[in-house]
Amino acid sequence: MEADLKNTLILADDETQYDTCAKDLLARKSILAHILRSTVDDFQEMSPDEVEECIEDEIYAGVVPTEPGLTNRAQVTTGGDKITGLNTVQSEKQEGLAVFDILFYVRTRDGLSRIIINVEAQKDEPSGYDILNRAIFYVSRLISSQKERDFKGKKYDDLKRVYSIWICMNMEECIWNYVHLTNDSILSDHIWKGKLDLLNIVLLGVPNDLPKRGRKYRLHRLLGTLFSVDVKPNERIDILESEYHIAAGSEFREELDSMCNLGQGILELGEARGEARGEGTSDCEYGSGGIVIRDDFQSDWGDG
């Protein structure tokens, strides 16, 4: 029992490190540029390098709370004016607190407006709740939290567009859904003033097997390359550099190696625990699209 508890704690620690490493990889501008180019209309005709230049420097990974009243913080400047910005919490103080995986601003090509982007990574499609409901909650928080931060008083015309992009690994096939507002005219053709493009949800399903090369699967192949343990280290680097022109420097290579090593360690520990109990399967499986935790170690990327 003591050994089993020890293994459980080791697995939980490795799982946390894996989660953090996954966020760090996704939070790289070079990766985010490819994600935005594929999912946000404003950037589809731009090169990844051009998109990268539009991403603002402050990228928040796992530190901005989703909770009502906690997303923003207020400060008083030396001039006596109150300003409101995104609130960040230290990791040791956020236990049990839901936070956005990745949150940042990106400017449009003309530089006249900003878009709020949220990226969430999941080990698979959650079974404990409907993922679309959670995505709707997140995108709603990104809208409501703008008051007094991105616009003042009743200036609702200053609302910024928001995108919440959800990446679910270990799916059966490549999946891509775009959820957004529509306007159905039931009586009359009256046009109400306002923007229908304020709320945007993108749901991406990435399968275990690395998708084939081609424009259709360009984004899914990139994500699979980052998180698939079936891809050998040298092949991983080759795909990133030759297909996506992402320079894999020493720091980037170390992060990719950490992902692979942590995943392999979790796999081996799970197999050892399963064998010790005389079970035919382990507590922890590792699909080529990412980590799959069984019910006794339930966790999903994105809970902070």
Side-chain angles (χ1 to χ4, degrees):
M1 180 65 72
E2 291 180 0
D4 191 55
L5 176 59
K6 181 180 179 181
N7 286 340
T8 299
L9 294 174
I10 293 173
L11 177 58
D13 183 61
D14 283 349
E15 192 180 305
T16 300
Q17 293 179 53
Y18 188 94
D19 178 22
T20 301
C21 192
K23 290 177 184 176
D24 288 344
L25 282 176
L26 286 173
R28 285 182 166 273
K29 282 189 176 183
S30 57
I31 302 298
L32 292 173
H34 281 275
I35 294 176
L36 294 180
R37 187 187 179 209
S38 296
T39 57
V40 181
D41 287 344
D42 300 68
F43 307 114
Q44 288 184 4
E45 300 303 320
M46 297 170 60
S47 70
D49 289 341
E50 290 173 327
V51 178
E52 190 172 335
E53 291 178 0
C54 295
I55 299 173
E56 298 191 356
D57 289 336
E58 287 189 283
I59 299 175
Y60 303 91
V63 293
V64 178
T66 65
E67 310 297 328
L70 296 181
T71 303
N72 294 341
R73 61 164 170 76
Q75 287 185 339
V76 178
T77 65
T78 54
D81 296 326
K82 186 176 78 171
I83 62 172
T84 303
L86 289 167
N87 182 37
T88 59
V89 292
Q90 298 177 3
S91 59
E92 62 269 21
K93 295 182 180 180
Q94 68 183 37
E95 185 175 355
L97 186 67
V99 294
F100 294 105
D101 272 7
I102 300 169
L103 189 62
F104 62 96
Y105 286 89
V106 59
R107 291 192 175 275
T108 54
R109 190 171 196 170
D110 57 16
L112 298 179
S113 60
R114 301 163 83 199
I115 305 172
I116 300 173
I117 306 292
N118 163 231
V119 178
E120 298 290 324
Q122 306 284 302
K123 64 179 178 60
D124 56 15
E125 184 174 6
S127 59
Y129 58 85
D130 293 336
I131 189 171
L132 182 55
N133 292 346
R134 183 174 174 182
I136 291 172
F137 173 79
Y138 275 39
V139 81
S140 298
R141 287 294 302 128
L142 292 173
I143 287 290
S144 64
S145 66
Q146 291 184 49
K147 189 168 178 13
E148 306 309 322
R149 188 186 74 229
D150 293 294
F151 73 94
K152 305 294 183 181
K154 296 183 179 180
K155 295 184 178 180
Y156 295 105
D157 289 352
D158 293 336
L159 272 169
K160 292 176 173 52
R161 276 183 293 159
V162 301
Y163 278 79
S164 189
I165 303 167
W166 293 71
I167 302 168
C168 294
M169 309 302 296
N170 292 293
M171 302 299 285
E172 294 296 326
E173 58 184 335
C174 290
I175 304 169
W176 191 334
N177 288 84
Y178 176 41
V179 181
H180 53 107
L181 294 175
T182 61
N183 181 11
D184 296 327
S185 297
I186 308 303
L187 288 175
S188 179
D189 293 324
H190 179 78
I191 298 176
W192 300 96
K193 295 180 180 179
K195 304 173 183 176
L196 285 176
D197 61 353
L198 288 176
L199 280 71
N200 303 273
I201 296 172
V202 179
L203 300 170
L204 300 170
V206 182
N208 290 335
D209 297 329
L210 191 66
K212 62 183 180 181
R213 185 173 181 175
R215 182 179 178 86
K216 182 178 181 180
Y217 299 108
R218 182 174 58 194
L219 178 56
H220 289 74
R221 183 172 170 83
L222 171 63
L223 296 172
T225 298
L226 289 176
F227 300 114
S228 172
V229 293
D230 286 349
V231 181
K232 294 180 173 58
N234 290 338
E235 182 185 3
R236 191 189 311 269
I237 300 301
D238 180 64
I239 292 175
L240 290 175
E241 292 187 337
S242 64
E243 296 183 24
Y244 298 94
H245 307 291
I246 296 174
S250 58
E251 182 183 348
F252 198 178
R253 289 170 184 260
E254 288 177 6
E255 290 181 3
L256 289 169
D257 288 342
S258 295
M259 285 287 296
C260 183
N261 293 335
L262 283 168
Q264 189 62 36
I266 294 171
L267 169 63
E268 292 172 355
L269 179 58
E271 288 177 340
R273 294 184 68 236
E275 291 173 0
R277 288 201 293 247
E279 299 173 353
T281 58
S282 66
D283 297 297
C284 187
E285 294 179 347
Y286 205 99
S288 61
I291 187 169
V292 183
I293 305 297
R294 291 286 180 82
D295 289 342
D296 45 352
F297 293 109
Q298 284 191 1
S299 167
D300 66 295
W301 303 351
D303 279 340

